[in-house]
Amino acid sequence: MPARLKPWKWPKGTVAGIRRRFCERGLTGCFERKSPDREYERKLDGQQEAELIRLACSEVPEGRSQWSLRLLPDQMVELDVVEDLSHETVRQTLRTDRSQTDSSLTGVASG
């Protein structure tokens, strides 16, 4: 039998998901991603993001070998850039903009 006639070996969950999306959203729903159910407000504006990136790329405080995801928000609050900032927001911001930041901060190797 020619290879093109052999059935695809897809997991049952994949087939079930495609079938469900077809029933719920039609043919285009099988191929296009569904829009998110809710939208999140950005925690940092462009100027605050730029300050975070500048800080992450700056010299580390004395007694530290590198910036941490918990040290950066503390420093941002101390510098009165923001009132409150979580390490998760810092992680997401630096990951989004990792081309301009040190990959050791996000734990994601570039390349």
Side-chain angles (χ1 to χ4, degrees):
M1 175 186 299
R4 63 184 168 82
L5 297 179
K6 288 184 182 177
W8 292 332
K9 296 190 179 193
W10 286 356
K12 290 179 185 178
T14 300
V15 175
I18 292 170
R19 183 181 301 130
R20 180 182 45 79
R21 283 191 299 276
F22 179 77
C23 291
E24 291 174 356
R25 299 186 303 227
L27 184 60
T28 57
C30 293
F31 303 105
E32 295 176 0
R33 291 203 180 266
K34 182 179 154 190
S35 60
D37 292 334
R38 65 187 261 205
E39 304 233 351
Y40 295 92
E41 287 185 33
R42 294 183 60 91
K43 307 278 188 204
L44 300 174
D45 62 23
Q47 189 173 5
Q48 291 167 329
E49 278 190 22
E51 183 62 24
L52 174 62
I53 292 168
R54 185 201 63 74
L55 184 62
C57 294
S58 70
E59 189 132 342
V60 296
E62 193 173 319
R64 301 283 186 150
S65 61
Q66 64 182 12
W67 285 103
S68 72
L69 292 178
R70 296 197 188 265
L71 185 60
L72 282 166
D74 293 344
Q75 191 67 30
M76 293 280 285
V77 171
E78 193 174 303
L79 294 171
D80 287 328
V81 177
V82 292
E83 285 184 29
D84 183 32
L85 189 62
S86 73
H87 69 279
E88 179 61 14
T89 300
V90 170
R91 184 192 68 80
Q92 289 177 2
T93 301
L94 294 178
R95 180 157 189 207
T96 299
D97 207 349
R98 72 175 167 243
S99 63
Q100 297 178 16
T101 59
D102 182 6
S103 64
S104 67
L105 291 169
T106 59
V108 177
S110 59

